[in-house]
């Protein structure tokens, strides 16, 4: 979250992008700009993911992280994410996926009235490029930036490139990250 003149630049990754969009739709006077990374106006969760989380949480977590990564991913980082995710409460993880599976802003994103940067990994299997293209097409002041070879975890796969895109976007709108880092 970067502060600018009493309003906020909301940065949301994946499900966080949905939260940022919803905040912008509910309280537009409080949002100066949006940065949406690997997100969508409606994110469908694969039923086999729900099944894997129900049958064997470890299998489900491994499925998520092993399939989320594009060819640029560092496998050591993926293994750390698997380990960290296995410490989460399985019911909370499943509930998060249920909420995002039901959330739908397809008909409302055209009401987002702030400059918006949409960043997508070209190899994202969970929020495919077409989701980001939809956002860029339907949010009036949106621009799409694609990170080639990255999957669903752009912040881990291409942190420097993401940081450059965010900084450039903010500068082009006279905004600052206020010392925030995107790594």
């Amino acid at each position: 979250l970067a502060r600018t003149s009493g309003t906020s630049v909301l940065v949301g990754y994946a499900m966080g992008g949905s939260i940022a969009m919803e905040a912008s739709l509910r309280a537009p006077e409080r949002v100066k700009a949006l940065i949406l990374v690997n997100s969508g106006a409606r994110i469908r969760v694969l039923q086999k993911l729900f099944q894997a989380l129900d049958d064997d949480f470890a299998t489900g977590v491994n499925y998520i992280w092993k399939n989320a990564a594009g060819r640029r991913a560092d496998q050591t980082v993926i293994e750390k994410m698997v380990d960290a995710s296995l410490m989460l409460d399985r019911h909370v993880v499943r509930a998060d996926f249920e909420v995002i599976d039901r959330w739908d802003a397809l008909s409302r994103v055209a009401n987002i009235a702030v400059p918006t940067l949409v960043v997508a990994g070209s190899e994202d299997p969970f929020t495919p490029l077409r989701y980001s293209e939809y956002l860029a097409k339907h949010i009036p002041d949106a621009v799409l930036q694609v990170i080639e070879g990255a999957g669903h975890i752009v912040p881990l796969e291409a942190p420097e490139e993401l940081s450059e895109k965010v900084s450039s976007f903010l500068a082009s709108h006279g905004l600052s990250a206020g010392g925030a880092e995107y790594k």
Side-chain angles (χ1 to χ4, degrees):
L1 182 68
R3 287 276 189 199
T4 307
S5 305
T7 59
S8 299
V9 175
L10 299 180
V11 181
Y13 160 69
M15 187 182 303
S18 303
I19 295 167
M21 284 183 271
E22 193 64 38
S24 178
L25 289 163
R26 290 184 184 204
E29 72 284 356
R30 299 183 72 186
V31 179
K32 186 76 170 175
L34 288 176
I35 299 168
L36 308 172
V37 181
N38 297 95
S39 196
R42 175 130 170 66
I43 301 171
R44 301 295 297 159
V45 178
L46 299 171
Q47 290 306 306
K48 65 182 175 182
L49 175 57
F50 284 124
Q51 192 62 50
L53 289 171
D54 291 342
D55 292 345
D56 178 7
F57 185 65
T59 299
V61 165
N62 274 288
Y63 173 83
I64 293 166
W65 289 108
K66 301 295 182 185
N67 288 287
R71 62 185 136 98
R72 293 173 67 164
D74 178 340
Q75 291 307 308
T76 308
V77 172
I78 301 301
E79 290 168 16
K80 289 179 183 178
M81 295 308 298
V82 168
D83 292 342
S85 297
L86 289 172
M87 294 188 287
L88 300 172
D89 182 296
R90 69 184 301 139
H91 303 291
V92 172
V93 171
R94 192 179 200 297
D96 286 347
F97 282 115
E98 288 172 357
V99 168
I100 199 60
D101 191 55
R102 288 191 307 263
W103 184 77
D104 184 348
L106 288 171
S107 65
R108 299 182 296 138
V109 293
N111 297 323
I112 294 174
V114 296
T116 301
L117 172 63
V118 180
V119 181
S122 66
E123 298 178 7
D124 185 346
F126 296 137
T127 53
L129 183 54
R130 69 180 184 275
Y131 288 17
S132 295
E133 290 169 340
Y134 183 92
L135 291 174
K137 180 178 178 184
H138 290 88
I139 296 173
D141 192 10
V143 60
L144 173 62
Q145 294 286 322
V146 178
I147 298 183
E148 292 299 324
H152 185 65
I153 48 177
V154 163
L156 296 177
E157 294 176 85
E160 293 83 14
E161 193 171 345
L162 176 60
S163 183
E164 289 170 15
K165 290 181 183 312
V166 169
S167 294
S168 177
F169 170 78
L170 292 173
S172 73
H173 291 284
L175 303 170
S176 161
E181 291 187 37
Y182 303 95
K183 294 185 178 180

